[in-house]
Amino acid sequence: MRGDGDGWVFGSDGSRRWGRHGAAGLLLRAPGPTGRATVLLQHRAGWSHHGGTWALPGGAIDSHESPEGAAVREAGEEAGIARDSLTVRAERVTWTEDSGWSYTTVIADADTQLATVPNGESTELRWVAEEDVESLPLHPSFARSWPALRSVPVRAVLGPDVVTTPEPRTVDLGERGFGWIVAVVATERVEDTIDAVRGENDGTAGTADRRTTVVITADDAVRRAVGSVLAAEL
Protein backbone atom coordinates (compact mmCIF):
# COMPACT_ATOMS: atom_id res chain seq x y z
CA MET A 1 0.00 0.00 0.00
CA ARG A 2 1.42 3.37 -1.05
CA GLY A 3 1.92 6.06 1.58
CA ASP A 4 1.75 9.80 1.11
CA GLY A 5 5.55 9.98 1.32
CA ASP A 6 6.06 8.04 -1.90
CA GLY A 7 7.43 10.22 -4.69
CA TRP A 8 10.61 11.83 -5.95
CA VAL A 9 12.15 15.08 -4.71
CA PHE A 10 14.45 16.83 -7.20
CA GLY A 11 17.50 18.85 -6.25
CA SER A 12 18.75 22.00 -7.98
CA ASP A 13 21.34 19.91 -9.84
CA GLY A 14 18.65 17.62 -11.23
CA SER A 15 19.40 14.76 -8.84
CA ARG A 16 16.43 12.90 -7.41
CA ARG A 17 15.76 11.44 -3.99
CA TRP A 18 12.95 9.12 -2.97
CA GLY A 19 10.54 10.35 -0.30
CA ARG A 20 8.41 13.49 -0.40
CA HIS A 21 8.97 13.95 3.35
CA GLY A 22 12.46 12.52 3.39
CA ALA A 23 13.53 8.92 3.89
CA ALA A 24 14.87 6.69 6.63
CA GLY A 25 16.65 3.36 6.90
CA LEU A 26 17.37 0.87 9.68
CA LEU A 27 20.94 -0.03 10.59
CA LEU A 28 20.35 -3.20 12.58
CA ARG A 29 23.26 -4.78 14.43
CA ALA A 30 23.46 -8.22 16.00
CA PRO A 31 26.34 -10.27 17.41
CA GLY A 32 27.99 -12.68 15.02
CA PRO A 33 29.39 -16.10 15.98
CA THR A 34 32.38 -14.50 17.77
CA GLY A 35 30.33 -11.74 19.42
CA ARG A 36 31.59 -9.05 17.04
CA ALA A 37 29.07 -6.80 15.34
CA THR A 38 27.27 -7.75 12.14
CA VAL A 39 24.78 -5.58 10.24
CA LEU A 40 21.77 -6.50 8.15
CA LEU A 41 22.19 -5.38 4.53
CA GLN A 42 19.82 -5.48 1.58
CA HIS A 43 20.97 -6.34 -1.95
CA ARG A 44 18.72 -4.04 -3.93
CA ALA A 45 16.64 -5.48 -6.77
CA GLY A 46 17.89 -4.67 -10.25
CA TRP A 47 14.85 -2.56 -11.14
CA SER A 48 15.25 -0.25 -8.14
CA HIS A 49 17.22 3.02 -7.93
CA HIS A 50 20.91 2.01 -7.84
CA GLY A 51 19.79 -1.59 -8.27
CA GLY A 52 22.43 -4.24 -7.64
CA THR A 53 24.06 -2.30 -4.80
CA TRP A 54 23.95 -3.04 -1.07
CA ALA A 55 22.33 -0.72 1.45
CA LEU A 56 20.00 -0.65 4.45
CA PRO A 57 16.32 -1.61 4.46
CA GLY A 58 14.48 1.69 4.26
CA GLY A 59 12.28 4.03 2.30
CA ALA A 60 10.07 7.09 2.27
CA ILE A 61 8.76 8.69 5.47
CA ASP A 62 5.01 9.32 5.47
CA SER A 63 3.71 12.67 6.74
CA HIS A 64 2.42 11.17 10.01
CA GLU A 65 5.61 9.21 10.77
CA SER A 66 8.83 9.85 12.67
CA PRO A 67 12.07 8.69 11.03
CA GLU A 68 12.21 5.88 13.60
CA GLY A 69 8.68 4.78 12.80
CA ALA A 70 9.36 4.79 9.07
CA ALA A 71 12.67 2.90 9.35
CA VAL A 72 11.16 0.18 11.55
CA ARG A 73 8.10 -0.11 9.30
CA GLU A 74 10.27 -0.43 6.18
CA ALA A 75 12.41 -3.10 7.84
CA GLY A 76 9.23 -5.04 8.51
CA GLU A 77 8.03 -4.68 4.93
CA GLU A 78 11.36 -5.36 3.22
CA ALA A 79 12.98 -7.84 5.60
CA GLY A 80 10.21 -9.27 7.79
CA ILE A 81 11.80 -7.80 10.95
CA ALA A 82 9.28 -7.41 13.80
CA ARG A 83 9.36 -4.22 15.89
CA ASP A 84 9.46 -6.14 19.18
CA SER A 85 12.60 -8.04 18.09
CA LEU A 86 14.85 -4.97 18.11
CA THR A 87 15.90 -2.10 20.37
CA VAL A 88 16.46 1.35 18.89
CA ARG A 89 19.66 2.98 20.21
CA ALA A 90 20.05 6.24 18.27
CA GLU A 91 19.47 8.04 15.00
CA ARG A 92 21.58 10.25 12.76
CA VAL A 93 20.69 12.49 9.82
CA THR A 94 23.23 11.12 7.36
CA TRP A 95 22.30 13.00 4.19
CA THR A 96 20.72 16.36 3.38
CA GLU A 97 19.89 18.14 0.12
CA ASP A 98 19.32 21.80 -0.75
CA SER A 99 15.74 20.83 -1.58
CA GLY A 100 15.14 20.17 2.13
CA TRP A 101 15.18 16.40 1.61
CA SER A 102 17.06 14.38 4.23
CA TYR A 103 17.86 10.77 5.05
CA THR A 104 17.88 9.55 8.66
CA THR A 105 19.67 6.39 9.70
CA VAL A 106 18.06 4.72 12.72
CA ILE A 107 20.48 2.52 14.66
CA ALA A 108 19.11 -0.54 16.46
CA ASP A 109 20.23 -3.85 17.94
CA ALA A 110 18.86 -7.37 17.93
CA ASP A 111 19.91 -10.08 20.38
CA THR A 112 20.66 -12.52 17.56
CA GLN A 113 20.92 -12.55 13.78
CA LEU A 114 17.20 -12.61 13.05
CA ALA A 115 15.68 -14.64 10.24
CA THR A 116 14.61 -12.44 7.32
CA VAL A 117 11.90 -12.55 4.67
CA PRO A 118 12.75 -10.45 1.58
CA ASN A 119 10.10 -8.78 -0.55
CA GLY A 120 10.33 -7.78 -4.21
CA GLU A 121 12.69 -4.89 -3.46
CA SER A 122 15.53 -7.26 -2.52
CA THR A 123 17.46 -9.96 -4.29
CA GLU A 124 19.06 -10.95 -0.98
CA LEU A 125 19.22 -10.00 2.68
CA ARG A 126 22.44 -10.82 4.49
CA TRP A 127 24.05 -10.39 7.91
CA VAL A 128 27.49 -8.97 7.14
CA ALA A 129 30.43 -8.57 9.53
CA GLU A 130 31.18 -4.86 9.91
CA GLU A 131 34.74 -5.28 8.66
CA ASP A 132 33.40 -6.82 5.43
CA VAL A 133 30.81 -4.15 4.57
CA GLU A 134 33.14 -2.07 2.41
CA SER A 135 34.05 -5.12 0.30
CA LEU A 136 30.53 -5.06 -1.17
CA PRO A 137 29.32 -2.75 -3.99
CA LEU A 138 27.50 -0.24 -1.80
CA HIS A 139 24.76 2.23 -2.68
CA PRO A 140 26.67 5.53 -3.20
CA SER A 141 24.88 7.39 -0.39
CA PHE A 142 25.34 4.51 2.05
CA ALA A 143 29.02 4.24 1.11
CA ARG A 144 29.50 7.90 2.05
CA SER A 145 27.70 7.62 5.38
CA TRP A 146 29.09 4.22 6.46
CA PRO A 147 32.39 5.48 8.00
CA ALA A 148 30.40 7.57 10.52
CA LEU A 149 28.00 4.70 11.27
CA ARG A 150 30.30 1.73 11.75
CA SER A 151 31.19 0.81 15.31
CA VAL A 152 34.47 0.40 17.14
CA PRO A 153 35.03 -2.35 19.75
CA VAL A 154 34.23 -1.07 23.23
CA ARG A 155 35.35 -2.19 26.68
CA ALA A 156 32.51 -1.27 29.04
CA VAL A 157 33.39 -0.46 32.64
CA LEU A 158 30.19 -0.69 34.70
CA GLY A 159 29.76 1.88 37.46
CA PRO A 160 28.61 0.77 40.94
CA ASP A 161 25.06 1.89 40.11
CA VAL A 162 24.75 -0.60 37.23
CA VAL A 163 23.34 -3.97 38.26
CA THR A 164 22.62 -5.41 34.81
CA THR A 165 25.49 -6.74 32.72
CA PRO A 166 24.87 -5.64 29.11
CA GLU A 167 24.99 -8.12 26.28
CA PRO A 168 26.94 -7.17 23.12
CA ARG A 169 25.20 -4.02 21.92
CA THR A 170 25.62 -0.59 20.36
CA VAL A 171 26.77 2.36 22.46
CA ASP A 172 26.17 5.90 21.17
CA LEU A 173 29.51 7.74 21.42
CA GLY A 174 28.09 11.07 20.26
CA GLU A 175 30.43 12.90 17.91
CA ARG A 176 32.80 9.93 18.09
CA GLY A 177 30.28 7.68 16.36
CA PHE A 178 29.30 4.29 17.76
CA GLY A 179 30.81 1.50 19.80
CA TRP A 180 30.00 -2.19 20.14
CA ILE A 181 30.46 -3.76 23.56
CA VAL A 182 32.85 -6.72 23.33
CA ALA A 183 34.16 -6.80 26.93
CA VAL A 184 32.64 -5.87 30.30
CA VAL A 185 34.30 -4.99 33.63
CA ALA A 186 31.95 -4.73 36.63
CA THR A 187 32.92 -2.51 39.59
CA GLU A 188 31.43 -2.19 43.08
CA ARG A 189 32.91 1.14 44.23
CA VAL A 190 33.78 4.40 42.51
CA GLU A 191 37.43 3.71 43.35
CA ASP A 192 37.19 0.38 41.50
CA THR A 193 35.70 2.14 38.48
CA ILE A 194 38.59 4.62 38.43
CA ASP A 195 41.14 1.80 38.79
CA ALA A 196 39.54 -0.13 35.91
CA VAL A 197 39.80 2.92 33.68
CA ARG A 198 43.36 3.69 34.75
CA GLY A 199 44.40 0.09 34.12
CA GLU A 200 43.28 0.51 30.52
CA ASN A 201 44.96 3.86 30.06
CA ASP A 202 48.33 2.99 31.62
CA GLY A 203 48.76 -0.18 29.58
CA THR A 204 48.38 -2.67 32.44
CA ALA A 205 45.19 -4.13 30.95
CA GLY A 206 45.59 -7.25 28.85
CA THR A 207 46.22 -6.79 25.14
CA ALA A 208 42.80 -8.22 24.30
CA ASP A 209 41.18 -5.47 26.40
CA ARG A 210 42.96 -2.51 24.77
CA ARG A 211 39.89 -1.08 23.15
CA THR A 212 37.88 2.11 23.46
CA THR A 213 36.82 2.31 27.10
CA VAL A 214 33.35 3.57 28.03
CA VAL A 215 32.04 3.88 31.58
CA ILE A 216 28.39 2.83 31.83
CA THR A 217 26.70 4.85 34.59
CA ALA A 218 23.80 7.15 35.35
CA ASP A 219 25.52 8.51 38.48
CA ASP A 220 26.85 12.06 38.11
CA ALA A 221 29.41 11.42 40.85
CA VAL A 222 30.89 8.55 38.85
CA ARG A 223 30.88 10.70 35.71
CA ARG A 224 32.87 13.40 37.50
CA ALA A 225 35.28 10.85 38.98
CA VAL A 226 36.23 9.29 35.64
CA GLY A 227 36.91 12.71 34.14
CA SER A 228 37.59 12.70 30.41
CA VAL A 229 36.57 9.05 29.85
CA LEU A 230 33.31 8.84 27.97
CA ALA A 231 30.36 7.90 30.20
CA ALA A 232 27.15 6.50 28.75
CA GLU A 233 23.88 5.10 30.08
CA LEU A 234 22.33 1.73 29.33
Side-chain angles (χ1 to χ4, degrees), residues 103-176:
Y103 187 95
T104 302
T105 302
V106 176
I107 295 90
D109 295 338
D111 292 338
T112 61
Q113 293 180 339
L114 303 172
T116 58
V117 181
N119 68 359
E121 298 183 39
S122 311
T123 59
E124 182 185 357
L125 294 162
R126 183 190 304 175
W127 289 97
V128 180
E130 286 209 355
E131 59 266 29
D132 296 333
V133 168
E134 291 178 325
S135 68
L136 298 171
L138 302 179
H139 185 288
S141 297
F142 179 53
R144 286 187 60 176
S145 62
W146 172 243
L149 295 170
R150 67 179 303 167
S151 68
V152 296
V154 160
R155 173 179 176 263
V157 176
L158 307 185
D161 59 307
V162 179
V163 296
T164 301
T165 301
E167 299 296 328
R169 51 152 288 188
T170 299
V171 178
D172 188 347
L173 304 179
E175 294 181 354
R176 294 167 59 186

Side-chain angles (χ1 to χ4, degrees), residues 169 171 215-219 223 231-234:
R169 51 152 288 188
V171 178
V215 176
I216 307 295
T217 182
D219 189 327
R223 290 174 181 271
E233 295 185 28
L234 283 175

